C-alpha cells in the first residue's frame, strides 16, 4: 500500500558539499603517460591579485589540479603603497605549503609588456627579480638563462588586439628562431584563440590553457555552469616537477576548458578513445542494431555528420552512457566529427565508432 | 593586468543537465563479479502507483541501474474503476521496452497481506495472476512453483509494526524451513531495519534495498541531498538476467542508500577496499608523515576511532582524495571503524589503512 | 586568530530540498488584477501521457501554479488495450483532489486533427465525450456549445509545419469570423512562434504558453537551467475559476517561459514596471552618477541599446539588485529595449529608467 | 500526440549563475524600521585573513548585505614579514570602494586578548592604531573614547572555553557597569552559544551574529546547504551609517544563521508575523478545514506541539506555501512553538495561527 515515510536525515553533509575536499577530475591517462592537470597563470596580492599565495594552492588542491604556477606581474604592482615589492614573495610563501599538500608548484612570473611582444610567463625560474629590467628582450633573456619555459599569454587579448586575432610580430619570430618561445595560451579564462593551434603546430610549441585568475576561483567557475577552470593537460612520464618540465618542453599538452579541448591530433585522438568505450550490440530487431557508448570522462563530446541511417548528431555526455540505434545496413564503423575537439584553426577531430 | 572578460557561453546545456542521459553510478566490481545496481520494488497505475510501466524503465535507465522489477500489488488495485485489473499488465507493457534499453527486467509482483506474514515480493515469476488466491500460503506456494525468489518487504514498517522493529512469526520460520524465503529488505525507501542484518546472517538470506516507489523517482530522490535511490547491489557473474538470478539465490547482495551500505562482512570488506586506494607517503617532516587516500566511488566513508597521534575521524568523501597526516611514531597500518558500513545490527566494518 | 570550527549541521534538509513544498513564483500583480500562473495543456494515461491525473495537480501545486487544465486527446488513446477510453476520466479523478489543494482545475480536452486546422484545446467544457465526432467542425462546435474557450495549439509544430512557421488556413479565418477562436499558443514546451503575436494582436486573441507535458514535469524542467515550466500568465480580477474564465475570454494574458515573456504592450509594459524599482542616486563623483535597479521578479531582463555614456547593455538579473553608473551628462531617463520581452513578431518592449 | 522537441537554449546564463550580481535576501522589515543585514567581523591580509579588503566589500555586496565591518586583529599580524603593520589599512583601502557600491562600511578592529576578557570588536572607531597598547583595559578605553560600540566575540570559543560555555569574568562585569559593553556574538560562523541570550537580556546588550571569515565567503557558505552567512539583523530607522549606529547602541538586533534566528521576544515575534501570511480557509469538508500559510522569507520555520486534531509539527518552508488541514473542532487559533526561533537559553517563540 502507499506509504508516507517521514524522512529523517542523518547525512554528513560535509561529504557532499565539497567543503575541504580534493575532488577527482575524471580525465584518462595516455599509455605511458599520466595526465597532469595544470594552471600556469594566476595572481596574488603581490601584483594585482586579491588573495594570499596559499589560497592559490588551496584552490588548486580542492579543484583536483596536479600543478600550478603563481605568476605575479613584474611590471605591475598596484598594491605597493601597502605591500613592498618582492617578485619572489609568492614562491617563498607557497613553496612548502604546496609540498605538504602534494601539489607541484612551479616557480614563475609574468613579464608584462605592451604588444609587441605582449605578456609572457616565465616558468621554472629561480629568481623573478632578475626579470625586473627595462628592455623586454633583456627580461626574456634573463628568464631563458634560468632555464625558463616561456609562454606567450593571451595573444588575442582585446586590450592588445582589438579584433581578438593573435598576430606574430618580428620579435616573436626572433624568439622562435632562438628557441626561446615554448608555448602559447589557447585558452585564457573564457577567451580562446583558434589561430594559436596553427602557430603551435607550425613552430612546434605547447598549446596552453590557464585561468589568469586575479580574484577567487570559486566565484568565477561556478557549478553547474563551469565544471572546471581552464587547464593545461600535460602528458608527463610521472607526476613529478621534473617530468612535468620535460613534458612541457616536449610540447605534450592539450588545452581544456568547459566542454572544449584543443591540441594536436596525435594527442587528442588517443585521448578521446581513452575517454570512451563502445559496447557490443546488446539488441537488434528487424531493422536496427542497438549499442552503447560510455564516456567516463568529465568532458562531453558532441559528434556530428554521421552517415545516413545513423544519428546525425550524438552527444556523449560526461560520465554517462549513450544508447545508439543504427540501421542494419549502415557501414560499421560509424564516422563522426567531434565538434568540440579542435585540432586546428578550422579543424575538428574525426573519429570512428566500431560496434 | 586585471582583465574583465565578457563571458559568452555557447555551452550545450543538455549535456550537463541530465536530460535524457544514463548516468554512470561509480561503484566498483568485486574480483570475478560485476556489481549490478538493482531496485526490486516499485509500483505503477496497475496497482496504487501513479505512473505508466515504461516510466519505471526510463527512470532506472537514467539512474544507471542494471535491473529492476515492477511489483504491483495483487490484493490492492484502487484504480480499478478506470483500469481493469491485470496482474501481468506492467510486465507485458515494459518487457520489450526494457530490452531495447539494455535494462534487465525481472517479472515480479507483491503479495500484500497484513502482518503476519506482511508483504512479499515474488521475483522471477511467469504469471502473477496465479498469486491472486485467498490463502497467503497458497499465494506464496504459487510463486515458489514458478521458481520465485521471495523477498520479505519492509518487515519493520510502522503500519504493521508500530515500534519499527521487525519480528519473525511462526509463518516466517516455516517459510525459512521450507527454503521459501530468500531475501529481506534492509532499506525500504528511507526506512531501514538494522535487525534485518541479524536475520539474514542467521538464515543465509539476501540483504535487499529497494525504493518501493509509487510516485516519481526524480521528485523523491533529489540531488544534491540524495544521490541515488536505495539499491540492492548484486554481485553477479555477468550482466544477464540468469546471472542476476543465480547471484540473488546465492545471497551475494549488499544494501545501499545515500551514505550507508549494509551486508555481510565477506562482501562489504572487499567492496570497501575496491572503492579506495592508498598512496605511498608523499611527504614527511620531523614529526609527521603525509599520505593520501582516494575514494573513487559515489559512497563517502566515515572512519572513526583511530589511534592516538592519528586523526580520530576521517571522512573519505565520495569521488575525492583525502590527505592524512599521522605522527611518525604511530603504528602502520592505521585501524578504523567505518561508521556507515554496517555488518550487523550493532556492528560496523573495521578496516586498515596501510601507507 | 584563525579558527577552524568543526561544522555540525542540524539543518532540516526537507525545508530546503523542495520535497513536498509549494514554491512561490515571484511575479507581480497588475493594479486591479492578480497574476494567475497557468498551464492549460497536459496529458495523462487517459490519452498518451504517462502519469495519473492527480500527479498533474501535485506537480502544479508544487510549482506554484494557480490553475491548470488536463487536456487528453479525444482522437488518440494509445493505451486503450489496458485502459478503456473515457474522455472525462481525468476530470472525474482530479476535480476534488484539486479543490482540496486550492488549485483551480479547468475541465478541458484536446481536439487532435491534422493541419488544417491542427490541434485545439477546448477549455471550460462540461463533457469531453461530445467532441468525439468525425467532423472537426462538429467537434469544435460541440465545444463552443459548452461555452468553451478554444485555443489553437502549437501552430508552427514541425510535424505539421515543417518550416516551423504558423499559417492561417480558411478554417482558421472562419473560426475567427464566428468568434470561436480565443487563444493561440506562443510557447508550447520549448518551442515558440513569434508570428503568433501578430495573429493575436490582429484578431484580438489571448497569447498562451503551456507545457504540453506527457511525461513528468520535474524531469523536463530541471533547475537551475529551467526555473519554471511555460506558463500562461492571466491577469484576473480574482483568484477564482470564474474570474480566470472572464480574463481569458478578455484576452488579458501573457506568455512566459524561462527568460522570455511575450504579449501586448499594454500588458507587458506595466508588468515590467511592477517587476523593478529604481533607486535615487546613492553616490556621485566628478564624472558619474551611481544608482540601483532592483528586480524582485523571477524573470531577468536584458536591456540593450542604451545612450552614449551609459551602459550599452544591462542585465537586470532575477531577484537581484543591479548597480548602474552613468555619465553626469547623459539624459535622464535612460531609454532601453528589453530584448527578452516580445511585443510583436519583430518588436521588443522599449522602457525608460528614470533615476 | 507525443512530441519530441529538440531543445535549443539561448539562455543568458550569467543572469542565473550569480556571477557579478547582488542578490536580494528576503527578510521583511518591521513597522517603522528597515532590516539591515550586517556582518561585523571579518579579516584580511592585514592581519591573518587571506584576501584583500575590497574582496570583503564585493562578497558582502553580492550576498545582499547592507553593512559590514572589517576587523583585523591589533595583536596578531602574522604576515608582517611581507606586509608592514598598518591597523587602518583595510579601512583606507575599502572606504571609498564601499561607498561606490552603496555598502555601509563601519570602521572597526579586533582587540585580541586571551580569556579573560577574550576578543572584542570595536566598531565605529576612527583610528585603530590607538588600540595597539599593552593593557587590554587601556585598549578598550581607547575604543570607547572614539565612541566605539564594543562587541564581545565568540565568548564560548573552544580555544578559550574548552567546554564551549561562555562565562562572565570580573572584567566583563566591570565593562557592563561602565556601560562599555554593547553586544555579544550569539553566532560566530557555525558556532553558537545559547547562554548569550541570557546575558543580553539581563544586561540589555545587542545579540550579534557574524562570519569571522578569514578565507573566502563563497568557499565556506555554499548553496544549497548554507543559503546565507551569519548575519546580525539590525532594525534601523533608515539605511544609513548613523541610523545603523543608533540601532546597534539601542540593541535592536537579531542573530540569524542558516535556519535559526535568536533575539528578544519583542523583536522576533513581530518579525515572525511579518514573514508569514495566513489565508482564509479555502475549502472544508465534513471533518476538516483547509487553509494555507505563506512564508515569503528566506527562513524556514519549524512549528511543533500543536493541538490534538491539528498537525503535531508544521514546516513553513522558506519562500513556500504550506497547506494545513485541521479538524473542525479544533480551537482557532492554533498555538505552536517555533523550534528554530530562540528567545532565551532554553526558550523558543510561541506563536498563533489564526485562520
Amino acid at each position: 500500500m502507499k506509504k508516507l515515510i517521514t524522512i529523517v536525515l542523518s547525512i554528513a553533509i560535509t561529504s557532499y558539499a565539497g567543503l575541504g575536499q580534493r575532488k577527482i577530475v575524471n580525465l584518462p591517462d595516455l599509455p605511458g603517460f599520466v595526465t597532469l592537470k595544470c594552471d600556469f597563470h594566476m595572481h596574488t596580492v603581490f601584483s594585482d591579485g586579491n588573495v594570499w599565495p596559499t589560497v592559490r594552492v588551496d584552490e588548486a588542491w580542492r579543484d583536483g589540479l596536479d600543478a600550478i604556477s603563481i605568476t605575479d606581474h613584474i611590471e605591475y604592482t598596484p598594491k605597493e603603497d601597502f605591500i613592498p615589492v618582492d617578485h619572489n614573495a609568492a614562491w617563498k610563501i607557497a613553496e612548502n605549503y604546496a609540498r605538504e599538500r602534494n601539489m607541484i608548484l612551479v616557480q614563475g612570473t609574468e613579464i608584462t609588456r605592451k604588444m609587441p611582444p605582449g605578456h609572457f610567463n616565465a616558468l621554472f625560474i629561480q629568481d623573478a627579480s632578475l626579470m625586473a629590467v627595462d628592455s623586454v628582450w633583456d627580461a626574456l633573456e634573463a628568464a631563458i638563462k634560468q632555464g625558463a619555459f616561456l609562454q606567450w599569454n593571451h595573444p588575442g587579448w582585446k586590450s592588445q588586439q582589438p579584433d581578438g586575432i593573435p598576430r606574430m610580430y618580428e620579435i616573436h619570430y626572433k624568439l622562435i628562431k632562438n628557441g626561446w618561445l615554448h608555448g602559447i595560451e589557447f585558452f585564457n579564462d573564457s577567451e580562446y584563440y583558434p589561430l594559436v593551434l596553427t602557430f603551435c603546430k607550425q613552430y612546434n610549441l605547447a598549446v596552453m590553457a590557464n585561468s589568469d585568475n586575479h580574484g577567487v576561483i570559486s566565484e568565477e567557475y561556478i557549478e553547474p555552469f563551469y565544471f572546471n577552470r581552464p587547464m593545461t593537460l600535460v602528458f608527463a612520464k610521472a607526476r613529478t616537477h621534473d617530468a612535468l618540465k620535460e613534458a612541457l618542453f616536449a610540447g605534450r599538452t592539450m588545452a581544456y576548458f568547459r566542454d572544449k579541448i584543443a591540441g594536436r591530433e596525435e594527442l587528442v585522438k588517443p585521448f578521446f578513445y581513452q575517454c570512451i568505450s563502445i559496447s557490443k550490440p546488446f539488441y537488434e530487431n528487424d531493422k536496427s542494431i542497438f549499442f552503447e557508448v560510455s564516456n567516463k570522462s568529465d568532458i562531453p563530446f558532441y559528434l556530428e555528420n554521421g552517415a545516413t541511417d545513423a544519428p546525425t548528431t550524438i552527444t556523449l555526455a560526461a560520465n554517462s552512457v549513450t544508447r545508439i540505434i543504427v540501421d542494419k545496413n549502415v557501414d560499421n564503423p560509424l564516422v563522426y566529427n567531434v565538434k568540440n575537439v579542435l585540432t586546428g584553426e578550422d579543424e575538428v577531430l574525426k573519429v570512428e565508432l566500431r560496434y
Side-chain angles (χ1 to χ4, degrees), chain A residues 186 192 194 197 201 259-266 268-269 272 301-305 335-352:
Chain A
F186 176 87
Y192 68 97
L197 280 176
K201 288 198 291 188
D259 60 355
K260 272 198 183 54
I261 57 181
R264 274 161 242 241
E265 193 188 359
E266 66 260 33
V268 300
K269 183 173 248 177
F272 172 84
F301 295 107
Y302 311 132
L303 280 53
E304 58 180 16
N305 300 329
V335 178
Y336 283 93
N337 292 320
V338 189
K339 211 168 74 174
N340 61 323
V341 178
L342 314 178
T343 56
E345 193 190 345
D346 294 310
E347 297 160 38
V348 299
L349 183 66
K350 186 180 287 266
V351 298
E352 298 185 344

Side-chain angles (χ1 to χ4, degrees), chain A residues 295-301 315-321:
Chain A
N295 175 7
K296 292 207 170 180
S297 81
D298 285 352
I299 308 173
F301 295 107
T315 294
L316 302 176
N319 298 299
S320 295
V321 175

Side-chain angles (χ1 to χ4, degrees), chain A residues 215-247:
Chain A
V216 169
I217 287 284
S218 63
E219 292 175 11
E220 214 151 311
Y221 304 101
I222 299 174
E223 293 199 43
F225 299 97
Y226 307 78
F227 278 80
N228 295 310
R229 68 169 96 185
M231 293 181 192
T232 305
L233 303 183
V234 183
F235 303 103
K237 288 176 186 157
R239 192 188 183 281
T240 65
H241 183 274
D242 289 352
L244 169 66
K245 189 171 176 179
E246 184 277 334

Side-chain angles (χ1 to χ4, degrees), chain A residues 12 14 22 24 30 50 55 62 65 70-71 73 110 125 143 148 152 159 241 258 286 297 299 308 347:
Chain A
T14 48
R22 175 161 165 76
I24 296 175
L30 291 189
N50 281 326
V55 172
R62 200 189 57 218
L65 268 62
I70 301 175
T71 54
H73 302 285
E110 184 166 11
I125 59 173
W152 184 14
S159 298
H241 183 274
R258 257 179 25 221
D286 289 352
S297 81
I299 308 173
T308 317
E347 297 160 38

Side-chain angles (χ1 to χ4, degrees), chain A residues 10 20 23 39 44 79 123 128 161 194 207 209 213 222 289 327 330:
Chain A
S10 61
K23 84 166 172 179
D39 182 0
T44 73
K79 293 173 166 64
L123 307 177
Q161 297 289 15
V207 183
N213 196 256
I222 299 174
I289 293 176
D327 193 284
V330 86

Side-chain angles (χ1 to χ4, degrees), chain A residues 1-59:
Chain A
M1 261 138 271
K2 198 153 189 183
K3 298 173 301 98
L4 275 182
I5 294 173
T6 304
I7 294 167
V8 180
L9 286 177
S10 61
I11 201 164
I13 285 176
T14 48
S15 72
Y16 289 103
L19 304 168
Q21 300 165 27
R22 175 161 165 76
K23 84 166 172 179
I24 296 175
V25 178
N26 292 306
L27 295 176
D29 293 330
L30 291 189
F33 299 105
V34 292
T35 302
L36 302 185
K37 297 124 201 164
C38 310
D39 182 0
F40 297 118
H41 195 168
M42 60 191 70
H43 298 273
T44 73
V45 292
F46 291 100
S47 62
D48 58 346
N50 281 326
V51 301
W52 194 245
T54 56
V55 172
R56 294 302 180 210
V57 177
D58 286 336
E59 289 174 333

